[in-house]
Amino acid sequence: MTETTSAATAIPPAANQIPFSGADIASAAGATPAAPEITSALIVDATLWILIGFSVVTWALILIKGIQHLRISRHNRSYGKKFWGAQDFQAAAALEGNKGPAARVADIGFTTLIEADGGTTTHDLEHTGDRQELLDRRLRQQMQKERGALESGLAILATIGSISPFVGLFGTVWGIMGALTSISKSGSASLDVVAGPIGEALVATAVGIAVAVPAVIGYNFFIRRNKVIWAFLDDFAIDFVHLALKTSFLIKRPVSGSVASPRTSGTGAKHPVLKASHEDLQAEGAQI
């Protein structure tokens, strides 16, 4: 009788024990697993939006740089024909309305020679040296400016081409971690459960590669084009110095207004003073 009472007394505590903790109840209610799933989805979505932004910047830069290079090529060809088609070095200095890197390099060269010929250069460190050294320095400085303008934006393309695959890989890894966590909580590892989340996570890597490929191709293409333009400007600057050397680095300052050059202009009109003197002589000969 005593043993039966003891057994009956021991049964209620075992029956009153709760087999679930507070965390298990919260998990059963669906509150806990939602947090990592939401966090993983947000990170993957943010990664995809970042890659989309990289893609927009890449194609915008490719379009802008492409238009820039088309204009530069057209302007350099146009000015090259005008420059080498001029009658002499002085006539080349009188060319106006020109655009492009070659025209700007020539303009800074002609401006330097005109300043040196007119004695308007100041006596400071920037203007030290003879005329050839001053001309070389000015041409080199202008070419560096042109090079900087040509290389603008290429660093962004190089950066996007380098980091986009890693940004996509980061989104993929994080997405797979969230997918595996969800699979472990569901307790099923069948193919239909695993393929969906992991496949969605791998999209980030594919997008990263798709963004990086145009950026790398565009960067390499424009680097090659910059080298061609730079070689053209380098040869043009060397030829310019050689032509200036033939004229002893002297060039006449352009005259405007009533004071014109005594040389015959391109239209064949002579200086007004010379024309008037010639007419006076003819009149005197007629009177005689």
Side-chain angles (χ1 to χ4, degrees):
M1 184 67 181
T2 304
E3 293 179 357
T4 306
T5 305
S6 300
T9 306
I11 290 173
N16 292 333
Q17 289 180 355
I18 300 175
F20 302 101
S21 62
D24 294 335
I25 295 176
S27 300
T32 303
E37 290 179 2
I38 293 175
T39 303
S40 176
L42 287 177
I43 291 178
V44 174
D45 290 343
T47 301
L48 292 176
W49 279 111
I50 290 173
L51 291 175
I52 292 173
F54 284 172
S55 179
V56 172
V57 173
T58 297
W59 287 107
L61 283 175
I62 289 176
L63 180 62
I64 293 172
K65 299 298 291 184
I67 295 174
Q68 179 190 24
H69 278 263
L70 288 176
R71 290 180 176 176
I72 287 175
S73 299
R74 185 175 69 254
H75 291 157
N76 283 346
R77 286 194 303 266
S78 176
Y79 183 75
K81 292 179 180 179
K82 293 180 180 180
F83 181 86
W84 295 111
Q87 185 177 1
D88 53 18
F89 199 54
Q90 181 69 39
L95 295 175
E96 296 179 353
N98 301 294
K99 299 179 181 179
R104 288 189 289 267
V105 170
D107 287 343
I108 199 67
F110 287 128
T111 302
T112 303
L113 294 177
I114 290 173
E115 290 178 357
D117 182 53
T120 58
T121 53
T122 57
H123 299 284
D124 54 13
L125 289 177
E126 183 182 358
H127 300 89
T128 55
D130 56 17
R131 295 181 178 182
Q132 182 174 359
E133 292 177 356
L134 180 60
L135 179 61
D136 289 338
R137 188 185 309 120
R138 291 283 186 86
L139 292 178
R140 185 172 62 253
Q141 291 173 354
Q142 183 63 32
M143 290 175 65
Q144 290 297 332
K145 292 180 182 179
E146 298 297 336
R147 185 172 188 174
L150 288 172
E151 293 179 350
S152 62
L154 294 185
I156 299 177
L157 283 180
T159 303
I160 292 176
S162 301
I163 69 174
S164 292
F166 297 102
V167 173
L169 184 61
F170 169 78
T172 296
V173 171
W174 200 277
I176 290 177
M177 289 173 56
L180 292 178
T181 302
S182 301
I183 291 171
S184 65
K185 291 185 178 297
S186 65
S188 175
S190 60
L191 184 60
D192 55 346
V193 176
V194 175
I198 294 182
E200 293 177 357
L202 290 175
V203 172
T205 299
V207 174
I209 295 174
V211 173
V213 170
V216 173
I217 293 176
Y219 174 79
N220 292 332
F221 174 78
F222 291 123
I223 283 291
R224 173 59 184 168
R225 291 295 307 164
N226 286 352
K227 290 181 179 179
V228 173
I229 296 174
W230 181 256
F232 172 81
L233 292 179
D234 192 24
D235 293 339
F236 180 78
I238 293 174
D239 293 336
F240 188 93
V241 174
H242 288 168
L243 292 173
L245 180 61
K246 293 181 179 180
T247 62
S248 300
F249 299 99
L250 297 175
I251 191 172
K252 296 180 180 180
R253 182 180 295 271
V255 211
S256 59
S258 60
V259 182
S261 172
R263 299 179 56 186
T264 303
S265 64
T267 58
K270 297 182 179 180
H271 193 278
V273 177
L274 296 178
K275 183 178 180 180
S277 301
H278 183 65
E279 291 176 353
D280 293 340
L281 291 175
Q282 287 181 345
E284 291 177 359
Q287 293 175 0
I288 295 174

